[in-house]
Amino acid sequence: SKLWPGQFVNIIASIHSDKPQILVPNEAIMLGQDGSYVFVLDKKDTVKMKNIKTLRGYGDYTIVSSGVSPGEKVVTEGQNGLQSGVKVSVSSQ
């Protein structure tokens, strides 16, 4: 059927129907020649660079669609000069 001038319809629109997502602090995300990346820490406090795919910003965070897993620790300070395989000391503030 078609609508004619003066006719009305009720529409319910969902803007976002996201499933649970991974949020990464904006300050952890770096931009390189191959796109966005973060440094993650393993259990021995050794860093590894991981390329990520971002979806969109969400306040002080960015929604990441791939590259990191829930629960991984990302480096938020001192990324300049880091490279994969470097052992770091973790400070909590």
Side-chain angles (χ1 to χ4, degrees):
S1 63
K2 296 181 180 181
L3 290 177
W4 294 95
Q7 287 184 309
F8 296 95
V9 294
N10 292 326
I11 297 176
I12 299 174
S14 177
I15 297 174
H16 296 289
S17 60
D18 290 335
K19 60 185 179 191
Q21 300 290 332
I22 297 172
L23 297 175
V24 173
N26 293 334
E27 62 268 18
I29 300 173
M30 306 294 289
L31 188 58
Q33 291 180 337
D34 296 327
S36 298
Y37 65 94
V38 295
F39 287 102
V40 297
L41 295 173
D42 66 12
K43 292 180 182 179
K44 296 179 182 179
D45 293 335
T46 302
V47 297
K48 179 179 180 183
M49 186 182 90
K50 286 190 162 186
N51 291 319
I52 61 171
K53 292 196 188 289
T54 60
L55 291 176
R56 65 181 169 277
Y58 188 76
D60 292 335
Y61 297 89
T62 296
I63 299 172
V64 175
S65 63
S66 67
V68 291
S69 301
E72 282 190 298
K73 294 180 183 177
V74 295
V75 176
T76 58
E77 283 184 19
Q79 295 97 317
N80 292 334
L82 276 184
Q83 55 185 331
S84 289
V86 172
K87 187 167 177 69
V88 297
S89 61
V90 178
S91 65
S92 56
Q93 296 179 6

